[in-house]
Amino acid sequence: MSLTTKSVFLLLALSLCSGLSGQVTADSWVNWESPPVHPLELVSGSDLLLATNTADSHLEIYNISSGVPVPFLSVPVGLDPVSVRARTATEAWVVNRISDTISIVDLQNGYVRWTLMTADEPADVIFAGTPQRAYVSCSGTDEIMVFDPSDVTAPPEIISLIGEEPRALAKSPDGSTVYCAIFESGNGTTVLGGGFDGGVNVIAFPPNVVSDPAGPYGGVNPPPNANGDFEPPLNPSTGTPPPVALIVKKIDQDVWVDDNGSDWGDLVSGPQADLSGR
């Protein structure tokens, strides 16, 4: 959150408090919290579970050696922590969305040993590459900041993104590639529900339109993934595969196609869109 925006919110809050003094009740109070991104982390090489306490601006550390989480330490961090990642068995980075900071926490002694300033509204952090770097998504400025964990005083590299509000981060198994999920990407895709058709595992919304006979595959679910066939071929010995959802992409007005090029437009924005919950 930018400094100007924070100042406006602070002035507004002070005005409301002064104007409503003695009138605010417990029933009228609303708790606003930032959206969590990666709020839980199991620490590799230890018996610790980390959890961001967004409302209280703390990192909660639990010992899970007994199989049941037992409170171990509670560490004050920045405002609205939304993500935590352990860099080592003794160090974790906590992403604080409102204070625009990263709290680097000593997990053994329970204190913040360093605070990194970030761009507006950081959302997530992940460690990848050789030498290792810390990648921080900043949803307010649509960029990724790249820090050197071995020298946190060094200026970060900035990677600008095409997309609005980058949030969750992930990496490839070998750590050579970092992936970023864009919250408002506007890439012209949507999801068609697959769900389950019966039993106890019923998904009420979105409705299972992939299994509807009105679709381009006549209700076959899972639909073929290589034109009219499956690649790799289905293995009969594994039993009936579960139904799946589909991602389709808009390529023209009311034309939404899957990987095979089959058009689901009637069920997305056409006359039968109600079948997909639209």
Side-chain angles (χ1 to χ4, degrees), residues 176-220:
S176 64
T177 304
V178 171
Y179 303 92
C180 180
I182 308 295
F183 183 61
E184 296 177 348
S185 61
N187 63 356
T189 62
T190 190
V191 175
L192 296 175
F196 290 86
D197 292 320
V200 296
N201 297 313
V202 176
I203 298 177
F205 191 88
N208 185 352
V209 70
V210 177
S211 298
D212 196 292
Y217 303 106
V220 174

mmCIF file of all heavy atoms in Angstrom, residues 176-220:
data_model
loop_
_atom_site.group_PDB
_atom_site.id
_atom_site.type_symbol
_atom_site.label_atom_id
_atom_site.label_comp_id
_atom_site.label_asym_id
_atom_site.label_seq_id
_atom_site.Cartn_x
_atom_site.Cartn_y
_atom_site.Cartn_z
ATOM 1 N N SER A 176 15.208 -23.868 -11.381
ATOM 2 C CA SER A 176 15.735 -22.990 -12.426
ATOM 3 C C SER A 176 14.693 -22.022 -12.981
ATOM 4 O O SER A 176 15.036 -21.060 -13.670
ATOM 5 C CB SER A 176 16.302 -23.830 -13.573
ATOM 6 O OG SER A 176 15.270 -24.590 -14.194
ATOM 7 N N THR A 177 13.419 -22.280 -12.691
ATOM 8 C CA THR A 177 12.342 -21.445 -13.224
ATOM 9 C C THR A 177 11.381 -21.067 -12.105
ATOM 10 O O THR A 177 11.020 -21.910 -11.284
ATOM 11 C CB THR A 177 11.558 -22.185 -14.328
ATOM 12 O OG1 THR A 177 12.460 -22.595 -15.355
ATOM 13 C CG2 THR A 177 10.486 -21.287 -14.932
ATOM 14 N N VAL A 178 10.979 -19.803 -12.088
ATOM 15 C CA VAL A 178 10.002 -19.315 -11.116
ATOM 16 C C VAL A 178 8.712 -18.980 -11.856
ATOM 17 O O VAL A 178 8.737 -18.336 -12.909
ATOM 18 C CB VAL A 178 10.524 -18.072 -10.366
ATOM 19 C CG1 VAL A 178 9.427 -17.439 -9.517
ATOM 20 C CG2 VAL A 178 11.707 -18.452 -9.484
ATOM 21 N N TYR A 179 7.591 -19.420 -11.302
ATOM 22 C CA TYR A 179 6.284 -19.158 -11.886
ATOM 23 C C TYR A 179 5.517 -18.188 -10.985
ATOM 24 O O TYR A 179 5.604 -18.273 -9.759
ATOM 25 C CB TYR A 179 5.480 -20.450 -12.037
ATOM 26 C CG TYR A 179 6.172 -21.505 -12.865
ATOM 27 C CD1 TYR A 179 6.986 -22.465 -12.260
ATOM 28 C CD2 TYR A 179 6.030 -21.538 -14.245
ATOM 29 C CE1 TYR A 179 7.634 -23.433 -13.013
ATOM 30 C CE2 TYR A 179 6.665 -22.506 -15.012
ATOM 31 C CZ TYR A 179 7.468 -23.448 -14.386
ATOM 32 O OH TYR A 179 8.108 -24.404 -15.138
ATOM 33 N N CYS A 180 4.757 -17.302 -11.608
ATOM 34 C CA CYS A 180 3.985 -16.319 -10.854
ATOM 35 C C CYS A 180 2.532 -16.353 -11.313
ATOM 36 O O CYS A 180 2.248 -16.265 -12.513
ATOM 37 C CB CYS A 180 4.564 -14.920 -11.049
ATOM 38 S SG CYS A 180 3.665 -13.636 -10.146
ATOM 39 N N ALA A 181 1.617 -16.477 -10.359
ATOM 40 C CA ALA A 181 0.184 -16.460 -10.663
ATOM 41 C C ALA A 181 -0.319 -15.021 -10.611
ATOM 42 O O ALA A 181 -0.136 -14.327 -9.611
ATOM 43 C CB ALA A 181 -0.582 -17.323 -9.666
ATOM 44 N N ILE A 182 -0.943 -14.586 -11.699
ATOM 45 C CA ILE A 182 -1.468 -13.227 -11.794
ATOM 46 C C ILE A 182 -2.941 -13.245 -11.393
ATOM 47 O O ILE A 182 -3.744 -13.985 -11.968
ATOM 48 C CB ILE A 182 -1.318 -12.671 -13.218
ATOM 49 C CG1 ILE A 182 0.124 -12.817 -13.704
ATOM 50 C CG2 ILE A 182 -1.769 -11.227 -13.268
ATOM 51 C CD1 ILE A 182 1.134 -12.013 -12.948
ATOM 52 N N PHE A 183 -3.293 -12.439 -10.403
ATOM 53 C CA PHE A 183 -4.666 -12.446 -9.895
ATOM 54 C C PHE A 183 -5.657 -11.895 -10.919
ATOM 55 O O PHE A 183 -6.763 -12.409 -11.072
ATOM 56 C CB PHE A 183 -4.742 -11.630 -8.604
ATOM 57 C CG PHE A 183 -6.100 -11.621 -7.962
ATOM 58 C CD1 PHE A 183 -6.692 -12.801 -7.535
ATOM 59 C CD2 PHE A 183 -6.790 -10.437 -7.775
ATOM 60 C CE1 PHE A 183 -7.945 -12.804 -6.943
ATOM 61 C CE2 PHE A 183 -8.044 -10.428 -7.181
ATOM 62 C CZ PHE A 183 -8.621 -11.611 -6.763
ATOM 63 N N GLU A 184 -5.277 -10.843 -11.623
ATOM 64 C CA GLU A 184 -6.162 -10.252 -12.627
ATOM 65 C C GLU A 184 -5.395 -10.158 -13.944
ATOM 66 O O GLU A 184 -4.969 -9.090 -14.368
ATOM 67 C CB GLU A 184 -6.652 -8.873 -12.177
ATOM 68 C CG GLU A 184 -7.513 -8.928 -10.916
ATOM 69 C CD GLU A 184 -7.943 -7.565 -10.428
ATOM 70 O OE1 GLU A 184 -7.397 -6.562 -10.925
ATOM 71 O OE2 GLU A 184 -8.812 -7.496 -9.549
ATOM 72 N N SER A 185 -5.225 -11.313 -14.588
ATOM 73 C CA SER A 185 -4.360 -11.361 -15.763
ATOM 74 C C SER A 185 -5.065 -10.915 -17.029
ATOM 75 O O SER A 185 -4.431 -10.459 -17.970
ATOM 76 C CB SER A 185 -3.822 -12.782 -15.962
ATOM 77 O OG SER A 185 -4.882 -13.693 -16.168
ATOM 78 N N GLY A 186 -6.389 -11.084 -17.102
ATOM 79 C CA GLY A 186 -7.105 -10.691 -18.306
ATOM 80 C C GLY A 186 -6.624 -11.426 -19.541
ATOM 81 O O GLY A 186 -6.512 -10.851 -20.619
ATOM 82 N N ASN A 187 -6.314 -12.723 -19.398
ATOM 83 C CA ASN A 187 -5.758 -13.466 -20.529
ATOM 84 C C ASN A 187 -6.820 -14.191 -21.351
ATOM 85 O O ASN A 187 -6.504 -15.032 -22.178
ATOM 86 C CB ASN A 187 -4.697 -14.456 -20.046
ATOM 87 C CG ASN A 187 -5.270 -15.524 -19.127
ATOM 88 O OD1 ASN A 187 -6.443 -15.490 -18.787
ATOM 89 N ND2 ASN A 187 -4.433 -16.455 -18.721
ATOM 90 N N GLY A 188 -8.084 -13.896 -21.103
ATOM 91 C CA GLY A 188 -9.144 -14.452 -21.935
ATOM 92 C C GLY A 188 -9.398 -15.924 -21.735
ATOM 93 O O GLY A 188 -9.774 -16.623 -22.680
ATOM 94 N N THR A 189 -9.191 -16.427 -20.518
ATOM 95 C CA THR A 189 -9.494 -17.828 -20.242
ATOM 96 C C THR A 189 -10.551 -17.920 -19.149
ATOM 97 O O THR A 189 -10.752 -16.981 -18.382
ATOM 98 C CB THR A 189 -8.246 -18.606 -19.787
ATOM 99 O OG1 THR A 189 -7.751 -18.037 -18.569
ATOM 100 C CG2 THR A 189 -7.166 -18.564 -20.847
ATOM 101 N N THR A 190 -11.211 -19.063 -19.090
ATOM 102 C CA THR A 190 -12.168 -19.312 -18.021
ATOM 103 C C THR A 190 -12.215 -20.813 -17.754
ATOM 104 O O THR A 190 -11.668 -21.612 -18.521
ATOM 105 C CB THR A 190 -13.567 -18.775 -18.369
ATOM 106 O OG1 THR A 190 -14.397 -18.827 -17.203
ATOM 107 C CG2 THR A 190 -14.224 -19.592 -19.474
ATOM 108 N N VAL A 191 -12.862 -21.178 -16.662
ATOM 109 C CA VAL A 191 -12.933 -22.579 -16.244
ATOM 110 C C VAL A 191 -14.350 -23.100 -16.424
ATOM 111 O O VAL A 191 -15.324 -22.428 -16.074
ATOM 112 C CB VAL A 191 -12.501 -22.734 -14.771
ATOM 113 C CG1 VAL A 191 -12.698 -24.175 -14.304
ATOM 114 C CG2 VAL A 191 -11.049 -22.327 -14.595
ATOM 115 N N LEU A 192 -14.446 -24.306 -16.957
ATOM 116 C CA LEU A 192 -15.717 -25.019 -17.044
ATOM 117 C C LEU A 192 -15.707 -26.128 -16.001
ATOM 118 O O LEU A 192 -14.777 -26.940 -15.962
ATOM 119 C CB LEU A 192 -15.915 -25.614 -18.440
ATOM 120 C CG LEU A 192 -16.025 -24.601 -19.587
ATOM 121 C CD1 LEU A 192 -16.098 -25.323 -20.921
ATOM 122 C CD2 LEU A 192 -17.238 -23.706 -19.397
ATOM 123 N N GLY A 193 -16.727 -26.154 -15.156
ATOM 124 C CA GLY A 193 -16.768 -27.117 -14.067
ATOM 125 C C GLY A 193 -16.862 -28.547 -14.553
ATOM 126 O O GLY A 193 -17.543 -28.856 -15.537
ATOM 127 N N GLY A 194 -16.148 -29.446 -13.847
ATOM 128 C CA GLY A 194 -16.218 -30.873 -14.143
ATOM 129 C C GLY A 194 -16.904 -31.604 -13.021
ATOM 130 O O GLY A 194 -17.928 -32.227 -13.197
ATOM 131 N N GLY A 195 -16.352 -31.477 -11.812
ATOM 132 C CA GLY A 195 -17.004 -31.981 -10.607
ATOM 133 C C GLY A 195 -17.342 -33.453 -10.633
ATOM 134 O O GLY A 195 -16.910 -34.207 -11.497
ATOM 135 N N PHE A 196 -18.120 -33.862 -9.655
ATOM 136 C CA PHE A 196 -18.617 -35.227 -9.555
ATOM 137 C C PHE A 196 -20.119 -35.217 -9.765
ATOM 138 O O PHE A 196 -20.805 -34.280 -9.390
ATOM 139 C CB PHE A 196 -18.279 -35.834 -8.186
ATOM 140 C CG PHE A 196 -16.821 -36.117 -8.005
ATOM 141 C CD1 PHE A 196 -15.963 -35.126 -7.547
ATOM 142 C CD2 PHE A 196 -16.294 -37.356 -8.304
ATOM 143 C CE1 PHE A 196 -14.607 -35.371 -7.380
ATOM 144 C CE2 PHE A 196 -14.943 -37.607 -8.139
ATOM 145 C CZ PHE A 196 -14.097 -36.617 -7.680
ATOM 146 N N ASP A 197 -20.617 -36.287 -10.341
ATOM 147 C CA ASP A 197 -22.032 -36.334 -10.700
ATOM 148 C C ASP A 197 -22.939 -36.868 -9.602
ATOM 149 O O ASP A 197 -24.141 -36.691 -9.643
ATOM 150 C CB ASP A 197 -22.228 -37.203 -11.950
ATOM 151 C CG ASP A 197 -21.617 -36.546 -13.179
ATOM 152 O OD1 ASP A 197 -21.757 -35.324 -13.310
ATOM 153 O OD2 ASP A 197 -21.002 -37.261 -13.977
ATOM 154 N N GLY A 198 -22.388 -37.543 -8.622
ATOM 155 C CA GLY A 198 -23.259 -38.133 -7.614
ATOM 156 C C GLY A 198 -22.482 -38.568 -6.395
ATOM 157 O O GLY A 198 -21.302 -38.291 -6.253
ATOM 158 N N GLY A 199 -23.143 -39.246 -5.488
ATOM 159 C CA GLY A 199 -22.497 -39.700 -4.276
ATOM 160 C C GLY A 199 -22.278 -38.557 -3.306
ATOM 161 O O GLY A 199 -22.939 -37.525 -3.353
ATOM 162 N N VAL A 200 -21.303 -38.742 -2.416
ATOM 163 C CA VAL A 200 -21.061 -37.726 -1.388
ATOM 164 C C VAL A 200 -20.161 -36.613 -1.895
ATOM 165 O O VAL A 200 -20.064 -35.564 -1.282
ATOM 166 C CB VAL A 200 -20.430 -38.377 -0.140
ATOM 167 C CG1 VAL A 200 -21.396 -39.361 0.490
ATOM 168 C CG2 VAL A 200 -19.113 -39.062 -0.490
ATOM 169 N N ASN A 201 -19.476 -36.835 -3.016
ATOM 170 C CA ASN A 201 -18.530 -35.847 -3.523
ATOM 171 C C ASN A 201 -19.167 -34.962 -4.591
ATOM 172 O O ASN A 201 -18.688 -34.860 -5.709
ATOM 173 C CB ASN A 201 -17.290 -36.543 -4.098
ATOM 174 C CG ASN A 201 -16.533 -37.305 -3.040
ATOM 175 O OD1 ASN A 201 -16.278 -36.778 -1.966
ATOM 176 N ND2 ASN A 201 -16.183 -38.545 -3.331
ATOM 177 N N VAL A 202 -20.267 -34.345 -4.274
ATOM 178 C CA VAL A 202 -20.978 -33.498 -5.219
ATOM 179 C C VAL A 202 -20.451 -32.067 -5.105
ATOM 180 O O VAL A 202 -20.377 -31.507 -4.020
ATOM 181 C CB VAL A 202 -22.493 -33.524 -4.958
ATOM 182 C CG1 VAL A 202 -23.203 -32.558 -5.902
ATOM 183 C CG2 VAL A 202 -23.033 -34.930 -5.151
ATOM 184 N N ILE A 203 -20.065 -31.501 -6.231
ATOM 185 C CA ILE A 203 -19.647 -30.108 -6.272
ATOM 186 C C ILE A 203 -20.814 -29.305 -6.829
ATOM 187 O O ILE A 203 -21.211 -29.473 -7.983
ATOM 188 C CB ILE A 203 -18.391 -29.928 -7.142
ATOM 189 C CG1 ILE A 203 -17.225 -30.732 -6.547
ATOM 190 C CG2 ILE A 203 -18.022 -28.454 -7.263
ATOM 191 C CD1 ILE A 203 -15.964 -30.676 -7.370
ATOM 192 N N ALA A 204 -21.383 -28.436 -6.005
ATOM 193 C CA ALA A 204 -22.590 -27.719 -6.400
ATOM 194 C C ALA A 204 -22.299 -26.616 -7.411
ATOM 195 O O ALA A 204 -23.114 -26.344 -8.296
ATOM 196 C CB ALA A 204 -23.274 -27.136 -5.166
ATOM 197 N N PHE A 205 -21.139 -25.967 -7.279
ATOM 198 C CA PHE A 205 -20.827 -24.871 -8.196
ATOM 199 C C PHE A 205 -19.322 -24.804 -8.408
ATOM 200 O O PHE A 205 -18.564 -24.945 -7.456
ATOM 201 C CB PHE A 205 -21.326 -23.536 -7.624
ATOM 202 C CG PHE A 205 -21.274 -22.425 -8.635
ATOM 203 C CD1 PHE A 205 -22.340 -22.196 -9.484
ATOM 204 C CD2 PHE A 205 -20.141 -21.633 -8.753
ATOM 205 C CE1 PHE A 205 -22.287 -21.186 -10.431
ATOM 206 C CE2 PHE A 205 -20.075 -20.627 -9.698
ATOM 207 C CZ PHE A 205 -21.155 -20.402 -10.536
ATOM 208 N N PRO A 206 -18.872 -24.596 -9.634
ATOM 209 C CA PRO A 206 -19.686 -24.493 -10.844
ATOM 210 C C PRO A 206 -20.258 -25.845 -11.256
ATOM 211 O O PRO A 206 -19.662 -26.879 -10.959
ATOM 212 C CB PRO A 206 -18.690 -23.973 -11.883
ATOM 213 C CG PRO A 206 -17.360 -24.466 -11.411
ATOM 214 C CD PRO A 206 -17.425 -24.419 -9.911
ATOM 215 N N PRO A 207 -21.402 -25.832 -11.932
ATOM 216 C CA PRO A 207 -22.026 -27.100 -12.327
ATOM 217 C C PRO A 207 -21.153 -27.879 -13.304
ATOM 218 O O PRO A 207 -20.320 -27.309 -14.010
ATOM 219 C CB PRO A 207 -23.339 -26.655 -12.983
ATOM 220 C CG PRO A 207 -23.130 -25.228 -13.358
ATOM 221 C CD PRO A 207 -22.185 -24.664 -12.346
ATOM 222 N N ASN A 208 -21.366 -29.174 -13.330
ATOM 223 C CA ASN A 208 -20.559 -30.061 -14.172
ATOM 224 C C ASN A 208 -21.012 -29.973 -15.624
ATOM 225 O O ASN A 208 -21.702 -30.849 -16.129
ATOM 226 C CB ASN A 208 -20.665 -31.494 -13.656
ATOM 227 C CG ASN A 208 -19.748 -32.445 -14.418
ATOM 228 O OD1 ASN A 208 -19.137 -32.082 -15.409
ATOM 229 N ND2 ASN A 208 -19.665 -33.669 -13.936
ATOM 230 N N VAL A 209 -20.596 -28.918 -16.300
ATOM 231 C CA VAL A 209 -20.998 -28.725 -17.688
ATOM 232 C C VAL A 209 -20.150 -29.555 -18.647
ATOM 233 O O VAL A 209 -20.572 -29.865 -19.765
ATOM 234 C CB VAL A 209 -20.927 -27.225 -18.059
ATOM 235 C CG1 VAL A 209 -19.485 -26.751 -18.119
ATOM 236 C CG2 VAL A 209 -21.645 -26.950 -19.367
ATOM 237 N N VAL A 210 -18.944 -29.956 -18.214
ATOM 238 C CA VAL A 210 -18.100 -30.778 -19.086
ATOM 239 C C VAL A 210 -18.779 -32.113 -19.380
ATOM 240 O O VAL A 210 -18.638 -32.670 -20.471
ATOM 241 C CB VAL A 210 -16.711 -30.994 -18.451
ATOM 242 C CG1 VAL A 210 -15.850 -31.907 -19.318
ATOM 243 C CG2 VAL A 210 -16.007 -29.656 -18.242
ATOM 244 N N SER A 211 -19.549 -32.613 -18.415
ATOM 245 C CA SER A 211 -20.247 -33.890 -18.602
ATOM 246 C C SER A 211 -21.613 -33.727 -19.258
ATOM 247 O O SER A 211 -22.333 -34.714 -19.427
ATOM 248 C CB SER A 211 -20.419 -34.592 -17.246
ATOM 249 O OG SER A 211 -19.169 -34.889 -16.663
ATOM 250 N N ASP A 212 -21.976 -32.505 -19.607
ATOM 251 C CA ASP A 212 -23.291 -32.270 -20.207
ATOM 252 C C ASP A 212 -23.288 -32.702 -21.676
ATOM 253 O O ASP A 212 -22.355 -32.381 -22.424
ATOM 254 C CB ASP A 212 -23.655 -30.787 -20.104
ATOM 255 C CG ASP A 212 -25.135 -30.541 -20.347
ATOM 256 O OD1 ASP A 212 -25.581 -30.742 -21.491
ATOM 257 O OD2 ASP A 212 -25.824 -30.152 -19.389
ATOM 258 N N PRO A 213 -24.306 -33.430 -22.126
ATOM 259 C CA PRO A 213 -24.374 -33.857 -23.538
ATOM 260 C C PRO A 213 -24.373 -32.699 -24.528
ATOM 261 O O PRO A 213 -24.095 -32.899 -25.719
ATOM 262 C CB PRO A 213 -25.697 -34.632 -23.606
ATOM 263 C CG PRO A 213 -25.960 -35.066 -22.203
ATOM 264 C CD PRO A 213 -25.415 -33.976 -21.330
ATOM 265 N N ALA A 214 -24.657 -31.484 -24.052
ATOM 266 C CA ALA A 214 -24.669 -30.334 -24.954
ATOM 267 C C ALA A 214 -23.265 -29.898 -25.357
ATOM 268 O O ALA A 214 -23.103 -29.097 -26.281
ATOM 269 C CB ALA A 214 -25.395 -29.162 -24.290
ATOM 270 N N GLY A 215 -22.250 -30.421 -24.679
ATOM 271 C CA GLY A 215 -20.878 -30.045 -24.995
ATOM 272 C C GLY A 215 -20.385 -30.674 -26.284
ATOM 273 O O GLY A 215 -21.016 -31.585 -26.840
ATOM 274 N N PRO A 216 -19.241 -30.232 -26.773
ATOM 275 C CA PRO A 216 -18.720 -30.733 -28.058
ATOM 276 C C PRO A 216 -18.328 -32.202 -28.039
ATOM 277 O O PRO A 216 -18.155 -32.806 -29.103
ATOM 278 C CB PRO A 216 -17.505 -29.835 -28.323
ATOM 279 C CG PRO A 216 -17.134 -29.269 -27.000
ATOM 280 C CD PRO A 216 -18.401 -29.152 -26.227
ATOM 281 N N TYR A 217 -18.201 -32.814 -26.844
ATOM 282 C CA TYR A 217 -17.848 -34.228 -26.774
ATOM 283 C C TYR A 217 -19.026 -35.085 -26.334
ATOM 284 O O TYR A 217 -18.851 -36.257 -25.974
ATOM 285 C CB TYR A 217 -16.658 -34.425 -25.825
ATOM 286 C CG TYR A 217 -15.448 -33.616 -26.232
ATOM 287 C CD1 TYR A 217 -15.083 -32.472 -25.521
ATOM 288 C CD2 TYR A 217 -14.691 -33.971 -27.343
ATOM 289 C CE1 TYR A 217 -13.992 -31.712 -25.900
ATOM 290 C CE2 TYR A 217 -13.591 -33.217 -27.730
ATOM 291 C CZ TYR A 217 -13.253 -32.086 -27.011
ATOM 292 O OH TYR A 217 -12.172 -31.332 -27.400
ATOM 293 N N GLY A 218 -20.210 -34.499 -26.318
ATOM 294 C CA GLY A 218 -21.403 -35.263 -25.978
ATOM 295 C C GLY A 218 -21.449 -35.745 -24.545
ATOM 296 O O GLY A 218 -22.109 -36.741 -24.250
ATOM 297 N N GLY A 219 -20.727 -35.080 -23.661
ATOM 298 C CA GLY A 219 -20.745 -35.459 -22.252
ATOM 299 C C GLY A 219 -19.632 -36.383 -21.832
ATOM 300 O O GLY A 219 -19.562 -36.783 -20.660
ATOM 301 N N VAL A 220 -18.737 -36.761 -22.746
ATOM 302 C CA VAL A 220 -17.598 -37.615 -22.374
ATOM 303 C C VAL A 220 -16.688 -36.831 -21.432
ATOM 304 O O VAL A 220 -16.228 -35.733 -21.751
ATOM 305 C CB VAL A 220 -16.810 -38.059 -23.622
ATOM 306 C CG1 VAL A 220 -15.556 -38.825 -23.213
ATOM 307 C CG2 VAL A 220 -17.686 -38.908 -24.523
#
